Amino acid sequence: MANLEQTINDLLQSLKSLPLDFTQLNAIENKIQTKQFNLVVIGQFKRGKSTLINALIGKDILPSSVLPLTSIVTIINFGEQKAVVCFKDGLCKTIELSDISFFVTEKYNPNNKLNVEYVEVFYPAEFLKNSVRIIDTPGIGSVYEHNSDCSYQFLPKADASLFVLSPDPPITQAEIEFLKDASKYIDKFFFLLNKIDNFKPSELREIIDFNSSILENLFSKKVYIIPISAKLALEAKLEANQQKQQQSNIQELYDRLEEFIKKEQSNVFWVSIINNIIRYTDMQLNFFKINLASLSMSKAKLEEKIKVFEDSLVKLEVDDYIYWLENKTKGVINVLDEDIDDLKKNQLPKLTAKINDYFNTLKISSTSMLNEQLKTYLQEQIEEIFSAFLQSENQKIGKLIGEIYNNLTAKVNTLIDSIIKTAEEVFEVKLSKLAQTKQLTEKSEFYFLIKEQPGALNIMGDFFKSKMPLFLGKKIIYKSIGERSIELFDRHCGRLRFDFVKRIKETSEKFKFEVENKLAQSIDAIKNILNAALKKQNDVQRQQEINKIESYTNLLNLIKNNLEKLKIKLTKNEQI
């Protein structure tokens, strides 16, 4: 591979001879120097990705939970045992492995309030010796949509992927859509079906067949899914338990990864490098293309075309998309209000009945003890009711917001396509790749605190903590307890609604900003090139610029052709 590396480095140096932005090239060069292979673990939230990684490295390092968890990318490298957290301001600090959860989880770092960029873990695991590093990405399709965004943003850095599925449920539309995008960057996927210990063999076979058919239709080739239990595999490692090792079927994954590392890793690594450089050259070619089109016109004609282009933009009716978004947001709030009304109608009578029943069964010797018992019981009942509601409502509202997000992204992409098509028609040049329609970077996040502040659930107040005789205090308490339960229930409903509405509206505002920002970027990218062309005041200047750009374009096309030839040879395992 020495010849291949030298060839690619020579092509990179040729690119650096052009007047381009080298930021992406510098990152590619750094990856070539380190030979670092990124094995990215991807999947929907709660598929068991973190548990799988812990099993691969043989230590329970990454946190796991019954709720959507990871909000920060975690990178696991070979090295002396330690963890380093790096923040968005560029500062990094070493932490204990046991403190990782304080930086990477929604529980301790909701919506990444600590501004963590990533966490890097070093551990002397055998699996990591071959310059392989494992990347734990946030779960896609979580109600914490910023998790999905983070996973999308990491795709260009991935070389191969462990894509984790599970039977509960089978592959979802969110995963299918993610795979469509991921396949543009990643050539090698290992598909895993986790949590096999929870299902019968006949059920697993049916689920595997179903998932395989979906994936094969998506990729137009045969797909193999490895069934595993990450939970049993981790327990087997920690306990040195051979029986659990066999039950987990993790050895099949180990064998396939080992074979891949021996036979395919190098080729996949270089194909990933080549793909990144090709994407870079395509982007630069597009900018040069519109430059040539604008420079080929006289100043008068170019000004005329710019006027036509700007007039066409006015007709695109961007405000219609904002109006659509506002109406959809109101619709989500209406759904929330209906669900809260149903919660009151169904659960409040049950709560008051439970409190009364519990009250009648208590055998208490003092008013203060009665106060504490009822306070504790009511707290538990409130938390149980609202925890269940929040779990289902988070999913429901998150899904509705996700649907709005996806529809809005499609609408924005269509609008950007219209801008590009308008520019194509006005300037008579193909610009389909000039503005890449990326997905919006901001989505929704939901968080609600059920626990009351100390003292807020004091049902009877300080008066009943006195030495009042039990026979008097009990009568007064019995009379007021139903009323206090209703009041407390309503208070929670109000707080819950306020929190959800606030976050829904904040999300809508972020969507609105993203729509306007993406459209402005697309329009400005074209206008900047056109205005630069206007500055060329005479035919000599224009021709000189055209000659330079044509020479740049010829070199870029030559580099791209050479890269594509290298890629074909690598995929065919031919000698280079």
Side-chain angles (χ1 to χ4, degrees):
M1 289 294 172
N3 291 338
L4 173 62
E5 182 174 349
Q6 184 59 53
T7 301
I8 291 178
N9 279 326
D10 289 344
L11 292 172
L12 285 172
Q13 292 309 309
S14 295
L15 283 171
K16 284 197 165 187
S17 70
L18 298 172
L20 307 174
D21 179 0
F22 300 137
T23 305
Q24 293 181 49
L25 292 182
N26 292 336
I28 293 170
E29 284 185 317
N30 181 63
K31 183 168 181 176
I32 291 173
Q33 289 172 3
T34 61
K35 301 294 188 299
Q36 194 69 66
F37 188 91
N38 291 330
L39 182 61
V40 182
V41 183
I42 303 172
Q44 188 164 295
F45 73 102
K46 302 324 302 163
R47 293 300 202 188
K49 300 185 300 300
S50 297
T51 303
L52 170 63
I53 294 172
N54 287 335
L56 288 173
I57 61 180
K59 187 173 177 65
D60 200 359
I61 291 177
L62 301 185
S64 58
S65 169
V66 296
L67 297 174
L69 187 76
T70 315
S71 62
I72 306 296
V73 164
T74 307
I75 304 168
I76 302 95
N77 299 279
F78 183 84
E80 186 178 342
Q81 182 172 316
K82 66 175 181 178
V84 178
V85 56
C86 292
F87 300 91
K88 292 185 176 180
D89 61 6
L91 296 177
C92 296
K93 72 173 183 178
T94 301
I95 60 172
E96 298 293 330
L97 291 181
S98 57
D99 290 337
I100 292 174
S101 60
F102 292 109
F103 298 92
V104 305
T105 64
E106 289 291 339
K107 180 178 180 181
Y108 296 109
N109 184 18
N111 199 25
N112 195 16
K113 64 181 181 182
L114 298 177
N115 289 317
V116 176
E117 183 72 21
Y118 61 90
V119 172
E120 199 156 10
V121 175
F122 295 86
Y123 190 74
E126 187 71 23
F127 180 76
L128 303 172
K129 276 187 174 180
N130 298 295
S131 297
V132 174
R133 65 177 184 173
I134 302 175
I135 316 295
D136 185 22
T137 62
I140 56 175
S142 165
V143 292
Y144 303 112
E145 296 293 349
H146 50 278
N147 290 0
S148 298
D149 296 329
C150 190
S151 294
Y152 270 97
Q153 291 163 13
F154 204 83
L155 286 180
K157 301 176 184 177
D159 297 308
S161 168
L162 298 179
F163 200 95
V164 185
L165 301 161
S166 66
D168 51 346
I171 190 167
T172 65
Q173 189 61 37
E175 288 169 311
I176 293 170
E177 294 302 319
F178 186 87
L179 278 168
K180 288 179 182 177
D181 290 324
S183 61
K184 298 173 186 175
Y185 300 93
I186 305 172
D187 287 327
K188 183 67 177 182
F189 288 93
F190 294 89
F191 291 102
L192 314 176
L193 183 72
N194 192 21
K195 304 183 182 182
I196 62 172
D197 49 311
N198 297 332
F199 293 84
K200 298 175 182 178
S202 58
E203 294 173 329
L204 290 174
R205 186 68 264 162
E206 187 175 350
I207 293 166
I208 289 173
D209 288 344
F210 173 80
N211 285 341
S212 295
S213 65
I214 298 293
L215 292 170
E216 287 170 4
N217 183 59
L218 179 63
F219 288 99
S220 300
K221 65 179 181 180
K222 188 72 175 174
V223 170
Y224 182 76
I225 298 175
I226 305 171
I228 63 163
S229 168
K231 175 177 174 290
L232 289 178
L234 178 58
E235 290 174 359
K237 276 283 184 73
L238 299 178
E239 302 167 10
N241 188 317
Q242 286 297 320
Q243 184 178 1
K244 286 187 176 181
Q245 174 91 352
Q246 291 179 349
Q247 291 173 342
S248 72
N249 195 45
I250 197 69
Q251 190 60 47
E252 182 178 357
L253 175 59
Y254 294 155
D255 292 343
R256 287 182 176 271
L257 286 173
E258 183 179 359
E259 183 181 13
F260 167 74
I261 290 170
K262 286 180 179 178
K263 297 181 179 180
E264 298 181 59
Q265 178 187 341
S266 180
N267 277 14
V268 170
F269 172 82
W270 288 111
V271 167
S272 175
I273 291 288
I274 289 170
N275 282 338
N276 281 329
I277 304 174
I278 289 174
R279 279 192 291 271
Y280 175 82
T281 57
D282 278 338
M283 180 179 65
Q284 301 303 328
L285 281 167
N286 286 324
F287 282 109
F288 286 143
K289 188 185 299 182
I290 193 170
N291 256 312
L292 284 174
S294 58
L295 288 166
S296 299
M297 300 177 189
S298 66
K299 184 179 179 183
K301 185 176 181 182
L302 183 56
E303 287 175 337
E304 178 187 338
K305 293 285 189 180
I306 291 174
K307 178 70 167 55
V308 173
F309 176 64
E310 291 178 340
D311 289 345
S312 300
L313 294 178
V314 176
K315 300 175 183 177
L316 291 177
E317 298 177 336
V318 176
D319 289 344
D320 286 354
Y321 294 83
I322 304 302
Y323 180 73
W324 176 88
L325 174 61
E326 290 172 350
N327 279 338
K328 288 294 182 181
T329 301
K330 290 176 183 176
V332 174
I333 294 173
N334 289 338
V335 169
L336 173 67
D337 286 338
E338 290 172 2
D339 290 346
I340 290 176
D341 286 342
D342 288 342
L343 178 71
K344 287 182 180 179
K345 190 183 301 180
N346 297 326
Q347 294 298 329
L348 187 52
K350 294 179 183 178
L351 174 64
T352 54
K354 277 187 176 182
I355 295 297
N356 286 329
D357 290 345
Y358 181 72
F359 181 90
N360 291 326
T361 61
L362 285 175
K363 306 294 182 183
I364 301 297
S365 60
S366 71
T367 304
S368 60
M369 288 179 64
L370 179 61
N371 175 73
E372 290 302 316
Q373 290 278 10
L374 285 172
K375 180 176 72 172
T376 300
Y377 185 73
L378 182 54
Q379 170 74 54
E380 291 172 351
Q381 295 305 309
I382 287 285
E383 287 193 15
E384 182 179 335
I385 291 169
F386 280 87
S387 292
F389 179 76
L390 281 167
Q391 186 172 3
S392 63
E393 198 68 7
N394 264 334
Q395 295 283 356
K396 184 174 183 177
I397 297 298
K399 183 179 179 181
L400 291 174
I401 292 292
E403 288 172 355
I404 293 173
Y405 165 83
N406 290 330
N407 287 335
L408 185 61
T409 301
K411 288 176 179 291
V412 172
N413 285 343
T414 301
L415 195 55
I416 291 174
D417 287 342
S418 297
I419 295 170
I420 301 303
K421 186 176 180 181
T422 298
E424 287 178 341
E425 292 172 352
V426 172
F427 298 102
E428 301 173 1
V429 62
K430 186 69 174 174
L431 301 175
S432 58
K433 292 184 179 180
L434 176 62
Q436 296 180 1
T437 53
K438 300 176 182 177
Q439 65 166 55
L440 308 180
T441 57
E442 295 290 349
K443 296 188 185 177
S444 63
E445 59 273 348
F446 296 102
Y447 177 77
F448 183 71
L449 181 66
I450 297 177
K451 282 280 189 183
E452 289 281 4
Q453 296 300 316
L457 276 174
N458 188 344
I459 303 170
M460 277 61 70
D462 292 336
F463 177 72
F464 294 109
K465 290 184 179 179
S466 68
K467 299 298 183 181
M468 174 178 281
L470 180 62
F471 75 93
L472 288 177
K474 191 171 183 179
K475 288 180 180 179
I476 298 173
I477 292 169
Y478 184 80
K479 184 178 179 181
S480 64
I481 189 169
E483 183 179 307
R484 297 291 288 126
S485 299
I486 294 170
E487 179 187 335
L488 189 60
F489 194 97
D490 283 342
R491 186 192 307 168
H492 272 288
C493 285
R495 289 178 61 229
L496 181 147
R497 185 187 186 279
F498 175 82
D499 183 82
F500 266 104
V501 170
K502 177 174 176 286
R503 295 180 185 280
I504 290 168
K505 288 184 176 179
E506 285 176 351
T507 299
S508 179
E509 286 301 310
K510 290 176 182 178
F511 284 177
K512 180 181 176 181
F513 172 79
E514 285 289 324
V515 168
E516 294 169 343
N517 191 42
K518 290 295 180 187
L519 294 175
Q521 285 178 4
S522 302
I523 294 168
D524 289 347
I526 297 173
K527 284 186 175 180
N528 288 341
I529 293 172
L530 299 176
N531 289 329
L534 278 176
K535 293 179 181 179
K536 307 302 175 185
Q537 298 297 317
N538 54 58
D539 292 340
V540 174
Q541 283 182 313
R542 284 207 306 275
Q543 192 56 51
Q544 287 174 343
E545 193 68 18
I546 288 171
N547 292 340
K548 282 197 297 185
I549 292 174
E550 285 180 342
S551 67
Y552 299 156
T553 301
N554 290 336
L555 181 55
L556 280 171
N557 280 319
L558 179 62
I559 291 170
K560 181 181 176 181
N561 289 337
N562 287 334
L563 288 166
E564 288 175 339
K565 289 176 183 177
L566 287 174
K567 182 179 175 180
I568 291 171
K569 287 185 176 181
L570 283 170
T571 54
K572 292 182 177 180
N573 290 316
E574 294 179 2
Q575 187 67 33
I576 296 176

